Each structure stands twice: as C-alpha cells, then as structure tokens.
Amino acid sequence: MTATTAHAGFRRLSGLGWLLANIATVTGRNLHRLVRVPTLIAFATVQPILFVLLFNYAWGGAIHPPGVQRYIDYALPGIYVLAIGFGASQTGVAIADDLTTGMIDRFRALPMARSAVLAGRTAADLVRNLFVLLLMTTVAYAIGFRFHAGLAAAAAAIGLALAVGVAFSWIFGLLGLLVRDPESAGIGGLLAIIPLIFTSSTFVAVATFPGWLQAFAKINPITVTVDAIRVLCVGGPAAEQIRQALAWIGALLAVTVPAAVIRYRRTTAT
Amino acid sequence: MVERLAVEARGLVKRFGDVMALAGVDLVVPAGEVLGLLGPNGAGKTTAVRILTTLLPPDGGWARVMGLDVVRQSGEVRRVIGLSGQYAAVDAYLTGRENLLMIGRLSGLSRSSARRRADDLLELFDLTDAAGRTARTYSGGMRRRLDVAASLVARPAVLFLDEPTTGLDPRGRLGLWRLLGELTARGTTVLLSTQYLEEADRLADTIVVLDAGTVIASGTPEQLKARVGGDRLELQASPGEDPTALAAAMVGLGSAPPTVDVDAGRVAVPLTDGPGILPDVAARLSAAGLRVSDLALRRPTLDDVFLTLTGQPTTTEPSTTDTVVVGRPR
C-alpha cells in the first residue's frame, strides 16, 4: 500500500486502504439513512417482529412439521431469511433511487473505488441484518423458541443467515441498477422473493408439496439455505447442508458481484 | 503552449441507438475561464458534460481535462474535476454538513480537512444555519446550493455545472448566479451548460451554442448578442391612433430605425441600451401627444438566438423571465 500527498489535506491512499476507507464512508451514509428513513426503520423493526408473531400464532397451530416440538423452532430460520430478503428489496429501491436522483453520477465522478457504492450498501445491510436477526431471536425466545444445538451452532446459524443476506444485497443491488426505477425495483424484488419463499421449506416441509413442486423446492436456494440454518438451530448432522448452502451463496456472489460492479461502471442517470 | 487549456475536446461523437446526441463537437476552455454551453433540451449539453466528466465514453473524437484523457486517464480526471449534474444530487436524509463530509471523505480528504472544508463551504453558500438539518427539509434553491458546494469540496481545477439553475424560482436563480459569479471571479475554470441566454451572458466568458448535437455558433456573449440583435422596444398604438406617427416619434431612439406593422398597429424599435431608454420613450410620447395601449421591452431569448442562427425556433418552452414587460403583457 502506498500513500502519496497531492496537496494539503489530501491523503491519497491507493489499493486496499483506499477501498476500505471508501466503503466505510458509504456504509456510514447508509446507516444514517437506516435510522432516518421511515420505510427502512419499519423494514428493520416492525416487520420482522410481525413476521415472527404472525407466522407463529396464525400457522403454528395448523402446521406440525417433523422433527420439532414447537412450530417456531421450525419456522424461525425461514423467517430469518424472509425478513432479510424483504429488507434487501429496499437495497434495490435505494440503488435505483440513487440512480434516478443523480447520486450515482455524483459518486462516479469522484475519485473513489468503483465497487465502494455497492459494497458500502452491502456492508450497511449486514449491520441492519445482524440487528434484525437479534431482534427476531429475542422475540422468538419470548414465545418459546430455543436453540437446541448449543451456542456455537446458534452463532453459526446467525452467521449463515448473514451470509444469505450478503447474497440478497448484491442480487437486489444489481436489480436496482438494471430496473432503474425505485418503485419497480421494490415490487420486482418482492415478486421475486415471495414465490421462492413459499416454494421452499420455509414454512412447511417440502414433503407436503405436490410432486412437481417438490422437485423445484428441493433445489430452491431458499430451501437449501433455510434447511442449513434450521439444522444449526434444532441440531443434527449439519456439514453437508452447510456445504450446499455456502456453495449456493458463493455461486450467487460470483455472478452478481462482478455483474453489478460492471453495470455500475457503465450506468448513468437518464 | 501559450495558453493552457483546461478543457479541450475535438470531434466528440455520441450515439444513443438511432439518435445522434453529439455529431462532432469541439470545445475549448482556457484555464480560468467560463464556457457557457447554451442550447435547448436535447441539444447534447448533458451528453457533452457526461463525456467530459468520465461518466460516458465517447463513440468518436477525444477530450482532455487538464491535459488528461477522459477515457484512458479517467481516474486521474476525476481527481481534478467537480460535477454538479442536472439534478441536485444530495442525499435527502443526510444533513447539509453530512453530505459535504461524505463527499470530502470520498474525494480523499482526511477527516479533519473534510470537516474544515465542509464548514467553509456551508458558510460560503449561506447554509450554516441549515447545516444540521437533513437536506429533505431544504428549499430547491438551498439543495442546489448544497449540490454546487459538494462539487467544490475537493477544490477542483475544473468545475462542470449542468443546468445549475433549472427548476429554481427567480430568487433562487439570482442567488446562485451571485455565488457562481463570485466563484468565477476567483479564477475557477467552469464549463456551464444552460438553457438560459441570460445565464450564459451573465456568467460566461465564451458561449458555445449547441443544437441537435452540433455547434452552431460560438463567441463572446457580446458577439452572440450582436448577431441576434439587442433588446427591442415594442409599442402598441391605442385603437384609432396611427402607428406610423408613433414610429415617427421614435426615430433616432434605437440602434436602427423603427419598424411598423400597420395592420397590427405595432411599432418595434431595436435597442442597444434596454431599460435606460424608457424615460426618453415617455418624454417622446408626451411631446408628440401620443398614447399607447401597451409598451414592452423584450430581451433576446434563446428562441431569438435560435431563430437567428437556424431559422428554427427551439422546442423548449419560451421563458417568461427573459422579457421585461411594462404595462399589460400581450
């Protein structure tokens, strides 16, 4: 890493230090927004709590998935992913909004790292998701949820949910850059998540689906990741499921990160 | 090199599908000068600004900013430019100060320098009292001032302003003109795009008129106005009055003889000195015992520039602020 001084007050970092400084600045911006934009506050607080309570009390009496005593033990890992996914749809909205308001033009005309706007977005999402996961876990604990596989597995479950969140953030960041219109990005994001969530093992065991749907549900990345988080919560042999979940997350990131950065470098407001 | 060029562009071409946004545009801005890029919507002004600020690659031609190629040295170009784009691009949910701090940090300023610079700019742009409020509570004029301030954070060698006063009310526009006037007086090199002849006249050393992606005229504001003609006095004879008598009373008043439209009862007098002529007009009218039903002083508008240069009116809405109307507007 080298540092050169152009003139007074400038600290021209290059390489990693410069990238990290840029990402930190953009992350700070997004965290400020997170506590000031009413929609974002709602997506980060009210909605996750509602999901935990509604799904537990409305469906918990009717659905008895195998392998758990209480429905909330089965459902919470899925609700983690649902809440993170819905929250991530706001990332698409924010990126599209930055495009239409000219913020991205402003950033692109600055001597900053080309990936920092998207990476800073993702980093802020990570902070929000950690908060959301802890909030939901607390609420779930109050209504009977328990981690059954010990503290390390519980931490791994949260970590895996955060990793899913990183993939979601990049997917929706790319969507926002492609769709360009904030409202379309929001609707498009939810329309993409809802079918994937409901055709997965999020709320019911895949075995209860009709055969043709089972085939899809088994390869649905939501099923794969939710199952891996669930096994870390309720206990059981987890290695293979974690490996599959990480493979999905890695594959998604390998496609969306370069695609989003390339798209960002070329995009301008219209 | 005798004169250092801050911006030099040759033969810039940009196509968007079938649309030729720029069809071979040359632009030159000597260091320390202000170039006004004048043209209607769709003329290619924003495209030119985007190419020069590295946001868009040109399809043909080349451009340098402070000697740096905008395509091959885009990263270096971004270190010497400031851009205030077509929209007031500030984060509505950050305060004025937070916006400037963010831009300062992203421009490579240290934390303390960014803070000092933000405070200086807030002061300069008359935003100190509003510095702690989120930008969403700002008026359009304040947002624009914050946006221009943000483009100055890194003390750019060349400042690009893309239609800085579009969407502002007359008061906001005047306020921003005053600030930009102070800025340009200090020797900042500026490329300013605008739809308003008055704005270019007021701020620019040189004006380039762009239409449909082509430069159709360039020169100093004086040269351009000389081609278009200066202000024009229009007199409407009262019903029953002879407009030729009105014209006769105005002979020698303007820079050229009055013209009469007998059917419409209207007399037009080309002027070099606009409002200064009004007392003389009143004196001549009362001396001749003539009455008029309407009297208007028109300044040349972008429409007049285009009518003169191309024979075609612009497609933009006629601007009402460019006309000084005395009495009943017709």
Side-chain angles (χ1 to χ4, degrees):
Chain A
M1 203 195 303
T2 56
T4 55
T5 309
H7 55 85
F10 279 84
R11 194 194 34 142
R12 297 279 196 218
L13 291 171
S14 60
L16 191 63
W18 171 64
L19 173 64
L20 291 178
N22 284 177
I23 292 174
T25 304
V26 178
T27 305
R29 173 208 177 202
N30 290 321
L31 290 177
H32 270 116
R33 289 177 68 89
L34 194 57
V35 294
R36 288 182 191 162
V37 184
T39 336
L40 299 183
I41 300 170
F43 268 95
T45 55
V46 181
Q47 182 176 274
I49 295 173
L50 275 179
F51 280 166
V52 172
L53 297 178
L54 287 176
F55 287 117
N56 180 63
Y57 289 112
W59 292 3
I63 305 172
H64 302 284
V68 290
Q69 291 289 317
R70 296 163 175 271
Y71 181 63
I72 190 67
D73 282 350
Y74 180 88
L76 189 65
I79 300 171
Y80 280 164
V81 172
L82 175 69
I84 286 173
F86 272 43
S89 71
Q90 293 306 300
T91 293
V93 175
I95 294 281
D97 196 52
D98 277 353
L99 253 182
T100 51
T101 56
M103 278 309 281
I104 289 201
D105 275 1
R106 159 145 277 152
F107 289 137
R108 286 188 56 230
L110 290 175
M112 59 184 281
R114 308 299 250 175
S115 57
V117 168
L118 294 161
R121 181 81 240 171
T122 314
D125 286 355
L126 194 66
V127 174
R128 177 201 60 198
N129 287 341
L130 180 61
F131 170 78
V132 167
L133 289 170
L134 296 178
L135 178 69
M136 286 194 294
T137 306
T138 306
V139 174
Y141 247 82
I143 60 170
F145 169 82
R146 292 295 178 267
F147 286 109
H148 297 283
L151 202 60
I158 298 288
L160 192 54
L162 289 174
V164 175
V166 172
F168 268 134
S169 293
W170 282 96
I171 291 168
F172 284 106
L174 177 61
L175 183 82
L177 286 172
L178 292 173
V179 173
R180 309 178 68 93
D181 167 53
E183 290 191 16
S184 308
I187 303 280
L190 294 185
L191 288 183
I193 293 177
I194 290 169
L196 282 174
I197 288 281
F198 283 91
T199 59
S200 76
S201 66
T202 298
F203 295 113
V204 294
V206 169
T208 64
F209 289 161
W212 58 271
L213 190 54
Q214 279 191 35
F216 174 74
K218 279 176 188 158
I219 56 160
N220 182 342
I222 304 277
T223 301
V224 175
T225 48
V226 167
D227 281 354
I229 299 168
R230 185 177 290 130
V231 76
L232 285 165
C233 293
V234 301
E240 175 57 19
Q241 279 168 328
I242 292 170
R243 195 193 58 76
Q244 281 184 25
L246 290 178
W248 255 118
I249 292 165
L252 286 170
L253 288 174
V255 174
T256 53
V257 174
V261 173
I262 288 168
R263 183 73 204 165
Y264 172 84
R265 295 170 72 122
R266 291 185 184 161
T267 199
T268 56
T270 41
Chain B
M1 214 191 294
V2 182
E3 195 176 29
R4 206 160 135 247
L5 295 181
V7 178
E8 186 181 12
R10 299 291 172 196
L12 285 184
V13 174
K14 185 73 195 177
R15 286 178 218 89
F16 296 107
D18 292 340
V19 181
M20 193 70 132
L22 293 179
V25 167
D26 295 346
L27 291 171
V28 166
V29 191
E33 292 207 358
V34 180
L35 178 79
L37 201 54
L38 183 66
N41 285 333
K45 303 187 299 290
T46 296
T47 303
V49 169
R50 287 193 172 148
I51 289 174
L52 294 172
T53 53
T54 78
L55 297 179
L56 269 182
D59 294 329
W62 55 266
R64 289 197 201 111
V65 176
M66 300 306 284
L68 300 162
D69 188 280
V70 296
V71 176
R72 283 179 290 111
Q73 295 167 292
S74 59
E76 286 88 341
V77 170
R78 288 192 281 271
R79 293 186 174 192
V80 297
I81 60 168
L83 167 65
S84 172
Q86 226 178 351
Y87 315 90
V90 295
D91 190 323
Y93 287 94
L94 296 187
T95 67
R97 179 176 280 110
E98 285 165 352
N99 266 289
L100 296 182
L101 285 175
M102 172 177 75
I103 300 298
R105 296 287 287 151
L106 293 174
S107 303
L109 289 174
S110 70
R111 210 177 291 271
S112 59
S113 310
R115 210 172 290 136
R116 267 198 306 278
R117 187 71 183 137
D119 286 338
D120 289 350
L121 286 167
L122 288 164
E123 180 76 39
L124 178 67
F125 282 83
D126 200 18
L127 289 167
T128 303
D129 292 341
R133 275 165 36 203
T134 53
R136 61 200 289 265
T137 65
Y138 285 18
S139 69
M142 291 164 76
R143 268 189 197 218
R144 221 354 149 169
R145 294 209 299 277
L146 181 62
D147 181 69
V148 175
S151 68
L152 289 168
V153 165
R155 301 179 196 277
V158 187
L159 179 63
F160 292 88
L161 300 168
D162 195 4
E163 301 196 11
T165 64
T166 297
L168 292 190
D169 60 17
R171 203 175 131 208
R173 182 170 301 165
L174 285 172
L176 196 58
W177 281 350
R178 184 179 51 77
L179 281 167
L180 294 177
E182 286 171 16
L183 209 65
T184 54
R186 291 184 207 178
T188 308
T189 307
V190 180
L191 190 148
L192 161 93
S193 85
T194 181
Q195 298 188 36
Y196 306 111
L197 182 61
E198 196 186 351
E199 184 163 295
D201 183 14
R202 203 164 155 153
L203 299 170
D205 299 306
T206 313
I207 295 177
V208 167
V209 184
L210 211 57
D211 184 39
T214 319
V215 175
I216 57 168
S218 61
T220 63
E222 285 65 37
Q223 290 168 337
L224 206 64
K225 277 193 292 185
R227 286 178 67 174
V228 178
D231 296 357
R232 194 164 71 237
L233 176 71
E234 287 180 356
L235 300 161
Q236 178 74 40
S238 293
E241 299 258 4
D242 182 5
T244 52
L246 198 56
M250 298 299 150
V251 169
L253 180 76
S255 55
T259 55
V260 191
D261 181 341
V262 179
D263 292 335
R266 195 177 300 141
V267 174
V269 188
L271 301 175
T272 42
D273 172 27
I277 210 80
L278 287 174
D280 200 5
V281 174
R284 283 165 183 248
L285 284 174
S286 70
L290 291 166
R291 293 179 46 213
V292 290
S293 63
D294 190 36
L295 183 155
L297 194 60
R298 285 198 67 222
R299 293 189 169 160
T301 63
L302 185 58
D303 259 322
D304 297 324
V305 174
F306 274 80
L307 272 170
T308 309
L309 295 175
T310 67
Q312 299 276 322
T314 66
T315 48
T316 47
E317 297 282 308
S319 165
T320 51
T321 57
D322 294 338
T323 307
V324 178
V325 179
V326 181
R328 188 164 53 87
R330 298 189 67 84

